[in-house]
Amino acid sequence: MCHKVSISVFKIYFGILFLFSTSLFAQTNSKEATWIWYPGDFEIWLSNKMQVRRTEREAVFPPLWKYYSPYALVTFQTEVDFPEADDIKIVSEGPFQLLVDGKQIYGQPKSITIPKGKHKISLKVYNQEVLPAIFIDGKYIKSNEDWMVTNEDKLWIDEAGKAQQSGTPWVFVGSWNFNTPNNKPSEFKLETEPWAAKGAEKTENGELIDFGKETFGYIKIHGLKGKGKLALYYGESKEEALDTAKCETLDHLYFDGNQSKTYTHNGSKAFRYVQVQKEASVQYDSISMLYEYLPLEYRGAFKSSDKLLNEIWDVSAYTMHLTTREFFIDGIKRDRWVWSGDAYQSYLMNYYLFFDSASVERTLLALRGKEPVTAHVNTIMDYSLYWFVGIYDYYLYTGDTKFIETFYPRMKTLMEYCLGRRNKNGFLEPLEGDWVFIDWADGLPKTGEVSFEQMLLARSLEAMAISAKIADETADEKQYQKLAQDLKEQLFEVFWDQDKNVMKHQRIDGEMQDIVTRYANMFGIFFNYFDEEQKQSVKNKVLLNDDILEITTPYMRFYELEALCALGEQEFVLDEIRDYWGGMLKEGATSFWEKYDPKQTGEEHLTMYGRPYGKSLCHAWGASPIYLFGKYYLGVQPITAGYETYTIEPNLGGLKWMEGKVPTPKGNIELYISSKEMNIKTISGEGTLIIHSKSRPKTNLGAIMQVDKNKYQLVLEANKEYQIQYKAL
Amino acid sequence: MCHKVSISVFKIYFGILFLFSTSLFAQTNSKEATWIWYPGDFEIWLSNKMQVRRTEREAVFPPLWKYYSPYALVTFQTEVDFPEADDIKIVSEGPFQLLVDGKQIYGQPKSITIPKGKHKISLKVYNQEVLPAIFIDGKYIKSNEDWMVTNEDKLWIDEAGKAQQSGTPWVFVGSWNFNTPNNKPSEFKLETEPWAAKGAEKTENGELIDFGKETFGYIKIHGLKGKGKLALYYGESKEEALDTAKCETLDHLYFDGNQSKTYTHNGSKAFRYVQVQKEASVQYDSISMLYEYLPLEYRGAFKSSDKLLNEIWDVSAYTMHLTTREFFIDGIKRDRWVWSGDAYQSYLMNYYLFFDSASVERTLLALRGKEPVTAHVNTIMDYSLYWFVGIYDYYLYTGDTKFIETFYPRMKTLMEYCLGRRNKNGFLEPLEGDWVFIDWADGLPKTGEVSFEQMLLARSLEAMAISAKIADETADEKQYQKLAQDLKEQLFEVFWDQDKNVMKHQRIDGEMQDIVTRYANMFGIFFNYFDEEQKQSVKNKVLLNDDILEITTPYMRFYELEALCALGEQEFVLDEIRDYWGGMLKEGATSFWEKYDPKQTGEEHLTMYGRPYGKSLCHAWGASPIYLFGKYYLGVQPITAGYETYTIEPNLGGLKWMEGKVPTPKGNIELYISSKEMNIKTISGEGTLIIHSKSRPKTNLGAIMQVDKNKYQLVLEANKEYQIQYKAL
């Protein structure tokens, strides 16, 4: 049983013709050549590799969830109309079969001349070790995002010798920025740059190097001589680096005397300090490091009349940059895994700092994996749901539809998995293998029907409805709209306490539990699921009520402060930020921590999970001021996808002045705000400026409109500079 | 979000305890250590690698269907009660995390001492490039088939610090015969042995080497000197090796002068002849080869009074051995893919030659892949169904339940895929992406509802019912029994022609087509779906009726001859075998061909698919006499699983005498049969000998019973030697 396919290479074009009657295979000579692969596969491969790099005192520590793999065999295809003969270069990761107009080209040519006219180019590439990827470069044909790819071309020949191809699942290729033949996906590395040590001091058995602040990278040893053992003990704190027995990361090296003078370690670590201990038989002159980072532009900016807040923003931005790597990760010292709940907060901060959509896409794809779905994302129920909400926000901020069009099928199968795990009341209730996280808080109930999970599911269903529309799945759109609507109604019917006017936390076996927590109540505010009266009630009876179970993690603190800002409590929140983040700075933080308890002192700040240095001193969720300052003080946020329309509602929260930039797909919005004036440089798209002023503001452009007592509105036109005089309340 | 898991390594045992309350984790010090992996993953990895090795004139030629991948991250686990402290060796393919009683052991130790007492050993292994595999060897613990493995351990810690593990899909590991630490799965190679050339002759531009018969392996060049190009042109025939422009396989080599004196090519090929052409600047003394093979014992045997038949059996056995490699493949020269329909015939032949269950399992697993199912096996509807029927036979012949217990979930998902593609009448009718093959025959109708496909589905459903019972899935068993019963009834209602007493071929849009073909009619006979009257009618009106579309492929000839044997036409079939297989031998065949047409002459025999050497001269399905001789002449077949009960119904088909062996899981049944006597050495298990004799036979053991005119029966007890006198009809 063989010949079908051997024939097929001569007959393939019969089968494929109809395929190209679609517009999918656009002519591609407009764009530059780049490496392409099956969409999502590079991200899966890279995240597998990165997450297993976690070590604990030299033991590897892989994730507890399922790893997916790239497709080892895929077929890339495009059609180009060549105005003249074209010499094209072919570079492939993996052996390939090349077909031109369905005819097999013998061998595996590095280059080939394609004659004038319309031609179909197909490459079937095999790569089990990494992932199949190609780079094609000619004058008229270039591998780029317009190519299609499939993991099962299903091309066969019937007994009449005619090729048959049907049911082939073609999708658009994936790519990033591998734009030269030598810049291979399989060899991806973050950028590095040399950093000198800021200081060094003798220790009992060696030397302690200080790099001045939290960093991430590869230790370099200079002037290396001799033969013997050398050990590196890393520390985010001095105490950790000095504690050789308990520091979380370390390296034992051996040199045989034949090494070169300069040694660079091949494993990157997170640290500020490193203690070097060695045998006398080995000597070196000095220690430096290669700082490893993802090259990103800081598009967002914030400055104000309060130096402390400025420093908090700067350290937040650095913390965010350190944790924005191959993917958005949480802590750089220890975990290095991709967690959906943590990443969701990084997405939001990213929109006010880098606005790097590629990092959001990579992280979403790494978290989702592919088919079949056999567990929740990270095995956590709420983390599957944050994944959908992340796409909801991604579309709102970026306006990008291609990502959703391409991956809608993966959204749908994950949602089917979630919906398939609802109980008879239509609520999510944990089944075997489901982990309900919500937050770390002593005595937080998580069994039965928890209102918080239902609220996340409702927003997730709204995300599905929007995405179904984008993917042109009308029937799905209607279905998800209805599911979302019904669930929201049921959520309020069951969990909203009509007397107390707050949302209850939990129902078990139909028994409503008399528990109110902050979670569903604060999400209800910025999800805009509450009316004004409900919001005020929740604010007073829950958020500002010390009898309600307190939030102790910066993770949920993020949402608590957001909810308070959404309720106009900017001044209150600013004081919270000064105390909490300012407190870490007083303790000498050079990046923000996984957890901070003002009541603790000295080494207590380093401990967590029963380990003396268990706490991460550089944690993504510590950087939330970036998001709060941009969205709720500078007050910029999109109203429709990709900032087509947006609002600016500045709030000084008691500051004399503030200035900054908020990145958008259409450029940066620039603002200067004082209690007397607002200077705003707009972008394309229609903005609405909301001004709270004691008197009617004056503007150099457009017409101010009063909308309420002390509340005015100005329509902002594209790419203009506005100067407004007003009197802050 | 990190600490859960960092804690978990100290708490894991809470979560796992209950797990070991099952008996799955049996003490394992009884068996020898072997490399273990996630079941099916080695087979998927190896088949990916092997099938892409197909080349056509130096171009790679991968399959048209989907490739699956091994899980890159898996957790192996077992529990052992150590009577004393044990030093265990740990060898792993890929970095690993070792946990003893849920506590992480730092580093990646090559050996470790486990204290006395009951202990849980877990290794989480990562290997994206090949597949995770481990070899553990101690006095009391050894990696073997009793270990369990999962691709998602789902182990997490709740806020109370308690480990939670639920929904973890534990399965038994896979293994083959990698029984030493150095014998790594990733380095698997078939065995090789040196073969000398049988002859050499000058050609116009080089030298033609003849190895005497069809073979498979690596060319070796001896006494190599100088620098320049050397080309190898392979041929299964002299003509092919001499035709440098059209031979199907070739290699272009270049030597830079620094090569060693002996060169061995790294690509194995199938050939009898190789022509060597070279530049004058390169010299060599001689050419030999390394014959590559799967080491298997020929347990089956057949000899008779007819020398021609003996030679046919020997060449069939050699053909079968050449095509029994990493997997059962069809043709060794060209295709090298694993095709379910072809493999199905190899399974059957294997039961009468090697009885190598591992080869059947490897092939079934390679064909099935894993989840999700998005197309038919090899994209062919009938090939999905042969996969199920292959398991039906596998259980019948081997009695092995573990394979079915382990892979029942994959059987079920594939069956769900098939059932999901039935039309409104409950019949399989091709949907988009489905290829209906049946056979190569000009004008064979394949659209609409084809009776042949429904009959295969019915037998597949019977296979599912039996397997569900073995897997202890009682509800499934009932469901599949009913589905099979209903489908069989409907098959006869719709396709059985009451007047003509034959099975019709096809119905389109409810319109029965007036077509009768051999396919469903012959399968109905050896599936035993027909009653005696129906069988006789089918025999005369279809099988022996020249007006019915003739079968021209050895592929379907296999079943046609089997049906005739099942109807007692052994003498007729023997003449067919003498003509057909004898005809190939007359043409000089040293292995049996993909196709043979007695009407052709000379080079016509080499052509196929419009290519002068397109035909495979060593094709698995050419070896069917092995199966026919064993099952229908020596007459041995199992009645219940694993030869617990079996029948022997010898049929000389006109031969003076025959003798042979038929392998079973309980040893070989040995037989000598002449027209006067039968000498039979039995195995454990209860046999029934059926004797056709003119007079009442005499036996040295047991009691002969008459069951019909000239038909007698003798119960065969375990491990006895019977001598019987009788008078053949």
Side-chain angles (χ1 to χ4, degrees), chain A residues 1-9 45 48-49 52 54 56-67 69-73 95-97 104-108 124 126 128-129 151-159 166-167 330 334-335 337 339 342 371-372 374-375 379-380 383 432-435 437 440-441 444 446 594 609 611 619 621, chain B residues 1-9 45 48-49 52 54 56-67 69-73 95-97 104-108 124 126 128-129 151-159 166-167 330 334-335 337 339 342 371-372 374-375 379-380 383 432-435 437 440-441 444 446 594 609 611 619 621:
Chain A
M1 180 73 139
C2 343
H3 44 315
K4 302 162 215 55
V5 182
S6 354
I7 290 184
S8 77
V9 298
W45 169 77
N48 285 358
K49 204 173 145 195
V52 83
R54 170 181 183 172
E56 278 193 16
R57 294 189 69 88
E58 300 183 287
V60 294
F61 201 144
L64 59 114
W65 50 79
K66 177 178 186 173
Y67 265 19
S69 285
Y71 293 119
L73 178 65
F96 65 89
Q97 175 191 36
Q104 177 170 17
I105 307 301
Y106 284 136
Q108 297 183 51
K124 190 180 254 187
Y126 169 72
Q128 182 81 62
E129 290 66 30
N151 67 314
E152 40 186 341
D153 57 25
K154 290 185 181 172
L155 186 99
W156 55 276
I157 303 299
D158 65 20
E159 68 273 41
S166 67
D330 56 349
R334 188 194 52 226
D335 207 31
W337 293 349
W339 292 97
D342 307 54
E371 310 311 328
T374 56
T379 74
I380 301 174
Y383 280 25
E432 203 194 8
D434 298 348
W435 169 13
F437 176 62
W440 296 118
L444 173 62
K446 301 180 178 183
E594 184 172 14
Y609 320 125
R611 311 214 300 268
H619 221 70
W621 65 30
Chain B
M1 181 73 142
C2 341
H3 45 317
K4 301 166 215 57
V5 182
S6 353
I7 291 185
S8 77
V9 298
W45 169 77
N48 285 357
K49 203 172 146 195
V52 83
R54 170 181 183 172
E56 278 193 17
R57 295 190 68 91
E58 299 182 289
V60 295
F61 201 144
L64 58 114
W65 50 79
K66 177 177 185 174
Y67 264 19
S69 286
Y71 293 120
L73 178 65
F96 65 90
Q97 175 190 34
Q104 177 168 17
I105 308 301
Y106 285 136
Q108 297 182 52
K124 190 179 255 189
Y126 169 71
Q128 184 79 64
E129 290 65 29
N151 67 314
E152 41 185 340
D153 57 28
K154 291 184 179 174
L155 186 100
W156 56 275
I157 304 297
D158 66 19
E159 68 275 42
S166 67
D330 56 348
R334 188 193 53 226
D335 207 30
W337 294 351
W339 292 97
D342 307 55
E371 309 311 328
T374 56
T379 75
I380 301 173
Y383 280 26
E432 204 194 8
D434 299 348
W435 169 13
F437 176 62
W440 296 117
L444 174 62
K446 300 180 177 183
E594 184 171 12
Y609 320 126
R611 310 214 300 268
H619 221 69
W621 66 31

Side-chain angles (χ1 to χ4, degrees), chain A residues 50-51 54 65 214 236 319-320 322-325 327-343 345-346 363 383 555 592-594 609 616-623, chain B residues 1-4 6:
Chain A
M50 185 198 73
Q51 296 185 103
R54 170 181 183 172
W65 50 79
E214 177 85 11
E236 288 187 309
T319 302
M320 179 67 185
L322 283 170
T323 56
T324 303
R325 314 192 62 82
F327 305 93
F328 289 119
I329 61 175
D330 56 349
I332 62 174
K333 172 169 79 174
R334 188 194 52 226
D335 207 31
R336 301 201 191 178
W337 293 349
V338 185
W339 292 97
S340 185
D342 307 54
Q345 300 191 347
S346 294
T363 305
Y383 280 25
Y555 175 55
F592 288 126
W593 304 348
E594 184 172 14
Y609 320 125
S616 158
L617 298 188
C618 176
H619 221 70
W621 65 30
Chain B
M1 181 73 142
C2 341
H3 45 317
K4 301 166 215 57
S6 353

Side-chain angles (χ1 to χ4, degrees), chain B residues 373-376 412-421 434:
Chain B
V373 180
T374 56
H376 280 300
K412 189 171 175 177
T413 45
L414 179 58
M415 180 51 79
E416 278 163 358
Y417 177 82
C418 295
L419 293 175
R421 296 177 84 75
D434 299 348

Side-chain angles (χ1 to χ4, degrees), chain B residues 304-339:
Chain B
S304 75
S305 51
D306 183 330
K307 282 206 168 51
L308 176 60
L309 292 184
N310 301 346
E311 197 188 341
I312 287 171
W313 191 93
D314 293 343
V315 173
S316 296
Y318 182 58
T319 302
M320 179 66 185
H321 198 183
L322 282 170
T323 55
T324 303
R325 314 192 62 81
E326 292 90 345
F327 304 93
F328 289 120
I329 60 175
D330 56 348
I332 61 174
K333 171 168 81 175
R334 188 193 53 226
D335 207 30
R336 301 201 192 177
W337 294 351
V338 185
W339 292 97

Side-chain angles (χ1 to χ4, degrees), chain A residues 7-22:
Chain A
I7 290 184
S8 77
V9 298
F10 305 103
K11 295 291 177 58
I12 189 175
Y13 49 86
F14 287 119
I16 291 192
L17 264 177
F18 76 88
L19 229 150
F20 293 100
S21 60
T22 77

Side-chain angles (χ1 to χ4, degrees), chain B residues 156-172:
Chain B
W156 56 275
I157 304 297
D158 66 19
E159 68 275 42
K162 266 191 66 188
Q164 304 283 346
Q165 185 175 47
S166 67
T168 302
W170 292 105
V171 293
F172 281 109

